[in-house]
């Protein structure tokens, strides 16, 4: 039951609201967590910085923002009624359609009454004696709960690069990860885009249609596959809807949680002609499934280079100017070792007369002046500068909150050499604090909604078990955490993922330790680990029982 009490003492401590569970974030993770928490009969509040639900899809409103997982798959599976009633209009849903879907879910399950919007969580402090969390917000309010769930997102802390002079620019600056709600009219303007990751690759073709002239500032080229987006085929939609349960279950047997055309075992086991034919077929079909043509593409450099060379060949076919094509062709990382992009007319855009590619590798940005971008040799005068410069991924949103665990240990301090968790779900020293799609979980390597659903369900089941046990707390042990992080590292070391300087490693953020953060062992291996841990009485976790307080009971099978 929700309670409001006054802790007394100094007036600035004010009233504090009590719940069973505090959830931070109202994206797909926080919304589903709230739904399941209510199902357990617990009281919960969701605290959300934004003024609406949807998370990623609330913030990333830039032109061209679109899902790269097919819409029949990028949606919740937990409600048969929901998945039957919702109609996706395109093969890959646009940001606005996904946001409409998130709002539909919030309405359908009456979620908003327990969400406090326009409220940023600034601190979460564990109270050792009471075994509860006190969470404070930028609105000066405080909440307390025994359980706290961080559903703050892997890609929710937009990163503004520290380029000298950025704050002196006299035009307008927009970050793709925090795009204005109002229509941004760029017609007749000189526009610059810094960044050519997934966001840059999506926004560039759209801005080129509006701007008088578009300058694309590229430091590292990326592999991108045509999405071949199209209106939803009603037969295809019906096939999915008739077989949703079976297809969702099958998707969960794949590493990424996505049903693609099955991969063949090895790119090197077939003739070059056969390989070329298969790459052509996948290229024509479109989408990120291209990276799953052969299962050894992400493990074997020789195999990988066959796919990389195929895509470089396509770039040279599409881009009219061979010099521009060369600059756009990625050579410094294996294909798929950074999140592969899906585009709509990206490479074609560089054939437009109002688009200029600026190669920052040969001509780096020196400064941003009031007029625009200054490189070693040129000044690019701009009206608007778009930063498609990415995110402080996986740990960024958490490290912006003052999270304090047992005996004053801060999460920032604990993770200063890289994040360590048990299964991405909990971190030792921080009892009763759960993380959805935390570092050390498959999260960003998957259809993230699958990863979210699995994590949230596990957390809800754990809460039910803890309440059944009258547990005072549950906390990951350091031994289990160390063992798990070794597995996370070993899984990555067996692949080519570590060959790229990507945000998976955190190297896009100055000063962030270079540690490979997601678990790349795939959804099935991860999920069976999580299930086994729970089935063995939460092996690897310490559980303190209220009855034994302060004694600790270590549950074992
Ligand atoms: P989010 O959607 O990020 O939600 C987290 C919420 O927490 C946000 O609303 C944020 O405001 C809030 N929050 C954070 N910190 C605080 C705080 N201190 N106080 C209060 N509130 C806070 N995944 C895919 O699988 N396929 C895709 O095609 C795909 N496309 C993407 C495209 C873009 C542009 C981006 C950025 C990501 C994409 N992703 C994609 C990943 C995407 O983030 C996930 O699919 C999913 O939406 C994450 O949901 P979430 O609830 O975990 O996090
Ligand atoms: P990103 O992949 O990290 O790309 C950021 C880009 O900005 C890179 O090209 C980077 O260059 C460049 N950059 C950063 N700082 C710079 C600087 N100081 N000077 C010049 N260039 C700079 O970020 P993102 O494109 O926003 O994508 C992040 C993730 O979000 C994706 O990988 C994906 O998971 C998700 N996403 C998905 C979709 C989708 O298709 N559904 C769309 C958008 C995002 P360097 O590489 O040289 O550092």
């Amino acid at each position: 039951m929700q309670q409001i009490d006054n802790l007394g003492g100094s007036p600035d401590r004010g009233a504090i609201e009590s719940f069973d569970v505090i959830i931070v974030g109202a994206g797909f993770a926080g919304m589903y967590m709230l739904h399941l928490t209510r199902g357990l009969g617990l009281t919960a509040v969701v605290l959300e910085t934004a003024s609406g639900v949807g998370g990623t899809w609330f913030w990333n409103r830039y032109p061209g923002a679109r899902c790269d997982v097919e819409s029949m798959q990028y949606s919740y599976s937990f409600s048969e009624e929901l998945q039957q009633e919702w109609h996706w209009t395109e093969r890959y849903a646009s940001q606005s359609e996904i946001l409409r879907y998130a709002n539909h879910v919030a309405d359908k399950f009456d979620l908003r009454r327990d969400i406090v919007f326009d409220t940023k969580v600034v601190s979460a402090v564990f109270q050792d004696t009471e075994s509860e969390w006190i969470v404070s917000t930028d609105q000066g309010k405080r909440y307390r709960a025994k359980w706290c769930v961080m559903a703050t997102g892997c890609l929710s802390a937009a990163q503004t690069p520290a380029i000298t002079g950025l704050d002196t620019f006299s035009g307008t600056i927009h970050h793709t990860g925090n795009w204005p709600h109002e229509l941004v009219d760029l017609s007749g303007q000189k526009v610059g885009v810094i960044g050519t990751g997934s966001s840059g690759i999506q926004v560039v073709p759209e801005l080129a249609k509006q701007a008088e002239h578009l300058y694309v500032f590229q430091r590292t080229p990326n592999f991108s596959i045509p999405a071949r987006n199209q209106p939803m085929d009603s037969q295809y939609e019906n096939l999915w809807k008739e077989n949703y349960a079976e297809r969702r279950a099958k998707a969960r047997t794949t590493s990424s949680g996505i049903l693609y055309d099955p991969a063949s075992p090895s790119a090197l086991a077939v003739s070059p002609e056969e390989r070329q034919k298969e790459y052509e077929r996948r290229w024509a079909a479109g989408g990120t499934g291209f990276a799953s043509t052969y299962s050894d593409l992400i493990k074997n450099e020789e195999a990988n280079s066959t796919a990389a060379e195929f895509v470089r060949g396509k770039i040279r076919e599409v881009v009219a100017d061979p010099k521009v094509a060369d600059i756009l062709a990625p050579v410094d990382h294996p294909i798929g070792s950074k999140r592969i992009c899906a585009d709509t007319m990206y490479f074609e855009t560089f054939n437009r007369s109002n688009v200029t590619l600026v190669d920052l590798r040969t001509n780096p940005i020196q400064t941003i002046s009031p007029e625009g971008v200054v490189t070693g040799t040129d000044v690019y005068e701009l009206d608007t500068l778009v930063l498609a410069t990415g995110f402080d991924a996986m740990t960024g949103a958490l490290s912006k909150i003052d999270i304090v665990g047992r005996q004053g240990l801060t999460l920032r301090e604990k993770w200063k050499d890289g994040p360590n968790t048990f299964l991405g779900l909990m971190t030792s020293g921080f009892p009763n604090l759960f993380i959805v799609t935390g570092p050390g979980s498959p999260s960003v390597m998957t259809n993230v909604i699958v990863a979210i659903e699995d994590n949230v369900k596990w957390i809800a089941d754990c809460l039910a078990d803890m309440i059944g046990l009258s547990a005072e707390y549950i906390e990951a042990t350091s031994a289990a955490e160390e063992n798990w992080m070794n597995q996370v590292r070993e899984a990555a070391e067996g692949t080519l993922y570590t060959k790229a300087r990507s945000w998976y490693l955190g190297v896009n953020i100055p000063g962030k330790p270079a540690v490979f953060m997601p678990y790349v062992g795939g959804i099935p291996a991860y999920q069976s680990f999580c299930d086994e841990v729970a089935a063995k009485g939460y092996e690897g976790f310490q559980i303190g029982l209220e009855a034994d307080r302060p004694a600790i009971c270590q549950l074992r099978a």
Side-chain angles (χ1 to χ4, degrees), residues 88-357:
W88 295 104
T89 64
E90 294 177 273
R91 178 182 180 192
Y92 295 102
S94 65
Q95 168 274 330
S96 60
E97 189 162 30
I98 303 174
L99 187 57
R100 271 201 302 283
Y101 170 75
N103 277 288
H104 171 76
V105 173
D107 290 338
K108 184 176 175 70
F109 297 100
D110 188 20
L111 298 179
R112 281 193 195 79
R113 70 182 152 87
D114 288 326
I115 307 178
V116 185
F117 292 109
D118 300 306
T119 294
K120 182 189 281 182
V121 167
V122 293
S123 72
V125 181
F126 185 68
Q127 311 296 304
D128 274 299
T129 41
E130 293 88 1
S131 265
E132 65 178 20
W133 285 89
I134 295 204
V135 166
S136 306
T137 74
D138 64 348
Q139 301 301 306
K141 295 200 70 171
R142 294 189 309 146
Y143 301 82
R144 75 167 167 216
K146 183 164 180 174
W147 314 101
C148 185
V149 181
M150 291 294 169
T152 44
C154 291
L155 293 159
S156 53
Q159 174 67 6
T160 297
I163 305 175
T164 321
L166 189 60
D167 54 347
T168 68
F169 180 56
S170 62
T172 310
I173 299 179
H174 297 302
H175 195 295
T176 49
N178 189 7
W179 197 262
H181 286 212
E182 311 74 50
L183 186 72
V184 176
D185 182 6
L186 299 172
S187 51
Q189 290 200 14
K190 289 195 273 303
V191 178
V193 176
I194 300 181
T196 51
S198 300
S199 302
I201 280 175
Q202 287 189 329
V203 82
V204 158
E206 292 304 313
L207 299 187
K209 290 181 203 161
Q210 292 181 32
E212 179 191 299
H213 201 96
L214 182 71
Y215 296 94
V216 180
F217 297 94
Q218 174 193 277
R219 192 163 61 186
T220 310
N222 261 304
F223 290 100
S224 187
I225 311 298
R228 311 226 186 269
N229 186 36
Q230 58 190 48
M232 180 59 69
D233 177 288
S234 57
Q235 255 185 317
Y236 186 71
E237 181 183 9
N238 289 340
L239 263 178
W240 267 91
K241 287 193 171 176
E242 282 158 18
N243 301 285
Y244 241 140
E246 183 198 322
R247 288 186 177 202
R248 299 276 203 192
K250 199 164 170 209
R252 279 181 159 83
T253 66
T254 70
S255 178
S256 62
I258 304 173
L259 270 190
Y260 289 127
D261 265 3
S264 303
S266 171
L268 305 176
V270 293
S271 68
E273 295 71 30
E274 194 179 324
R275 209 165 47 214
Q276 186 74 6
K277 209 168 134 200
E278 184 56 10
Y279 287 147
E280 286 288 1
R281 190 183 73 76
R282 299 250 181 178
W283 182 265
T288 56
F290 182 88
S292 308
T293 308
Y294 297 103
S295 7
D296 59 351
L297 290 187
I298 203 60
K299 292 185 191 134
N300 178 310
E301 285 196 66
E302 195 187 340
N304 188 284
S305 66
T306 65
E309 191 44 40
F310 175 87
V311 174
R312 286 191 285 265
K314 285 293 177 193
I315 296 170
R316 287 186 205 105
E317 261 175 41
V318 170
V319 179
D321 182 336
K323 281 195 202 127
V324 175
D326 260 1
I327 300 167
L328 287 167
V331 287
D332 74 341
H333 63 279
I335 186 168
S337 60
K338 288 181 166 194
R339 173 98 178 189
I340 194 161
C341 307
D343 70 274
T344 299
M345 307 298 276
Y346 176 66
F347 294 115
E348 290 82 348
T349 299
F350 293 92
N351 294 334
R352 294 177 66 115
S353 56
N354 71 331
V355 175
T356 303
L357 178 66

Side-chain angles (χ1 to χ4, degrees), residues 24-30 47-50 52 54-60 62 65-69 74 119-122 151-156 199 202 339 391 397 401 436-437 446-449 452:
V24 188
F28 285 122
L47 304 172
E48 169 56 60
T49 318
T56 287
W57 308 101
F58 176 92
W59 295 109
N60 291 263
Y62 59 84
R66 189 175 286 289
C67 203
D68 65 6
V69 174
Y74 189 81
T119 294
K120 182 189 281 182
V121 167
V122 293
T152 44
C154 291
L155 293 159
S156 53
S199 302
Q202 287 189 329
R339 173 98 178 189
F391 299 87
I401 304 172
V436 184
T437 62
T446 67
N447 171 355
V448 181
I449 295 196
I452 285 172

